[in-house]
Each structure stands twice: as structure tokens, then as C-alpha cells.
Amino acid sequence: MAKNWTRIDISCGMEIADDLGAELAEAFGAGVEFTPAGLRIYFDSTAFEEKRQRLQQVLDSSPGANAGHEAITWSSSELADEDWSETWKAHFKPLRVGRHFLVAPTWERVSPGPEDLLILIDPGRAFGTGHHETTRLCLEWLETWVGKQPAGRDHAPGSLLDVGTGSGILAMGAALLGFEHIVGIDNDPEAIEVAVPNLELNNLTEKIRVTCASVQDIRGAFDVVISNIQSMPLIRMAEPMVSRVRDGGRLALSGILTEQAEEVRDAYEERGASLIGTKTAGEWVLLEFAVSKKDTE
């Protein structure tokens, strides 16, 4: 039986959208979309009434609610499951990212070239289609990082942890680039439900392990840790994120508005990471950190 969904459209200024989106994602364990007007989040209609009060509490307690910014308002609309699918199909078209990535939805016919790295994807209700600036920044960074690795390096380009994997797009891009040990984690069970079929579509289930977990639950260290989420959770997770990077490894963070980059940078440099590069797209930025454990041993 198909579900019905309640779509919540939140009107707010972009200066508070990043922080508010992080609060909503944490409060409800659900993906939050950025829209031209602000934010969008979806609830199972059968559970929305019990979440309505909590939603209003989060909006009322937002740092921007009483700080001279434009008023935060919201509206709801009902959406059948099949309508959701049609909405994605209308806006998700094949997209080239970087030099080699070709990201395409399952319902579009594409003809990849011999050097294309094709990612077939059905985003479902998880973030990550390649169309958002932050996702493109991450895929382009991965491609550039791999291009810098010495030819013939054993196990090149190494291992990767994707924190907040969403649809699995970054983990899949890493697999196509040659990473050999890849773990994708997300604290939203529905994101994992979306990511698993995407791995199957691309024949990557043997190369990528996805699981519902937080970065604190993961053991071991990785050559690369990448995360495309919001600034607030990135700041809160700074210590465990840095600890998951091996000595000499890299940490790539996006989902960060340019005006919040300094705050994120400070949080990670306080934990011993060193900012070595930035790249912007629109109002978003990717921060690249090098991690050396020698000084802390």
C-alpha cells in the first residue's frame, strides 16, 4: 500500500537556513532539502500530527527566529508516494560533473563515453543527485584527489569514509575512482534504504558497505573522510571526524555556507587538522584538511 506524505515548506532567510536545516535533521532524523524560499522536509502523513508541535518548537527556538531576520513561516501539503516520484523525474536530468562523472536517473536513457564514470541513481527521499553545488564540489574534489596520487601506488587511492552518505552518490563516485575500502554511514535509516538499491543498480555492493551509524560508531582510520552535511553537525562532530582520518590523510567537508567556513575551520584546526585548500560554488564552500597524527602521539 502506497504511503502518503506531508510536505513541509519552510520560508526563512538563507543566512539561517543552514543552521535551521541541521536542527530539523537532528530533531526528526530526516533529510532536509534547500529550496529558493528556504527549506523543505517530508513526513509520513500518518505520523505528522504527533510531530507538528515538535516542528513548531524547533522553528520557534531557532537562533534566527528572534534575531532580526525575516519571520520563519511554514505551510504543509499532502503528497502521494507516486506524486513524489513524478516530482523527482521532472527535475532530475542527466548531469556531467568534473571531467568524467555522468550522473543519470534510472528513468533516463544515456550513452556514456569510454572515459565516462556513470552513476545511475534513484534519489528517493535522500539527499544527493549531483545537482546541488555541494555534491558537485565533493565529486570534483574526489576526482582531483585521485588524479594527484602517484601512478602505481599500492591500493591507490586507498580507503574512504562517507559521513552522511544520503543516496550513496559520493561513495559510489569513490568506488568508480578506484577506492578499495569504502564505508558509507548515515543516521537516517531511510537514507540507507535508498542507498542500498543504488549500490545494486551500479553493481557496487561488493565494494561499498553502508550502514545506519554515526561517526562515533566507526572504528579504524581512513585515507579520506568526506562529508556533505550542514555546518552545525560538522562542528559538533569535529573530534571524532578528525580521529577517523589516518596519519597523512585528507578530510573534505562541504554543505557549508561561505560565511560559516571560518567557524568550521576553527573547530577542525583546534582538533589538529590543517586547512590546505578551499573551493567555492555559489554560496557554498568545500574545505580540505590535512591530518597529521605525529604531533599528537
Side-chain angles (χ1 to χ4, degrees):
M1 183 177 179
K3 287 184 179 180
N4 286 326
W5 299 90
T6 299
R7 187 180 76 188
I8 305 300
D9 287 290
I10 300 166
S11 176
C12 63
M14 286 306 300
E15 68 275 7
I16 67 169
D18 190 56
D19 289 344
L20 180 56
E23 293 294 334
L24 290 166
E26 184 173 9
F28 297 105
V32 179
E33 296 178 25
F34 289 89
T35 69
L39 301 167
R40 180 173 293 159
I41 188 169
Y42 295 84
F43 297 111
D44 183 337
S45 293
T46 60
F48 173 60
E49 284 305 318
E50 63 190 55
K51 295 180 179 179
R52 179 189 292 269
Q53 184 176 0
R54 176 59 177 149
L55 172 65
Q56 193 62 57
Q57 289 173 344
V58 172
L59 298 181
D60 290 343
S61 63
S62 166
N66 300 300
H69 299 295
E70 65 182 80
I72 300 174
T73 60
W74 63 276
S75 61
S76 64
S77 56
E78 294 301 308
L79 189 66
D81 206 40
E82 54 269 22
D83 293 336
W84 177 297
S85 300
E86 292 305 314
T87 299
W88 275 113
K89 290 180 179 180
H91 295 95
F92 183 15
K93 300 297 182 183
L95 176 73
R96 290 194 173 275
V97 180
R99 297 187 305 274
H100 299 292
F101 285 116
L102 176 59
V103 183
T106 54
W107 53 86
E108 292 278 348
R109 297 185 65 178
V110 292
S111 300
E115 296 187 355
D116 286 337
L117 300 176
L118 176 63
I119 301 176
L120 292 173
I121 197 162
D122 185 347
R125 287 170 289 278
F127 181 80
T129 65
H131 286 69
H132 196 277
E133 290 96 332
T134 60
T135 309
R136 295 200 299 272
L137 282 170
C138 289
L139 287 172
E140 290 167 357
W141 181 88
L142 284 170
E143 191 174 57
T144 300
W145 165 253
V146 170
K148 293 178 179 178
Q149 303 312 299
R153 174 189 169 192
D154 290 341
H155 305 298
S159 57
L160 178 137
L161 175 64
D162 177 17
V163 179
T165 195
S167 67
I169 188 171
L170 299 184
M172 291 187 291
L176 294 176
L177 288 167
F179 283 86
E180 294 186 347
H181 172 54
I182 304 167
V183 177
I185 62 173
D186 204 296
N187 62 8
D188 181 1
E190 195 162 280
I192 301 303
E193 292 175 5
V194 171
V196 169
N198 283 327
L199 302 188
E200 295 171 352
L201 279 171
N202 292 273
N203 299 313
L204 294 174
T205 54
E206 298 299 317
K207 295 185 177 181
I208 303 169
R209 178 171 67 90
V210 292
T211 183
C212 187
S214 65
V215 67
Q216 292 91 337
D217 301 323
I218 301 301
R219 298 293 176 262
F222 297 77
D223 295 286
V224 170
V225 174
I226 193 166
S227 186
N228 181 26
I229 54 178
Q230 294 93 0
S231 297
M232 285 182 62
L234 285 175
I235 291 169
R236 287 194 292 265
M237 297 190 300
E239 185 170 351
M241 290 281 280
V242 172
S243 70
R244 297 283 74 79
V245 185
R246 70 162 180 82
D247 181 34
R250 292 292 184 271
L251 181 62
L253 308 177
S254 194
I256 305 164
L257 288 166
T258 52
E259 62 264 29
Q260 296 174 324
E262 183 176 352
E263 187 178 5
V264 177
R265 181 204 67 195
D266 291 347
Y268 280 79
E269 290 192 332
E270 287 173 4
R271 273 75 177 185
S274 301
L275 183 69
I276 61 171
T278 64
K279 186 175 181 181
T280 59
E283 60 190 349
W284 304 94
V285 62
L286 178 143
L287 305 181
E288 177 185 0
F289 296 88
V291 176
S292 174
K293 305 294 179 68
K294 294 178 181 179
D295 294 337
T296 60
E297 290 178 353

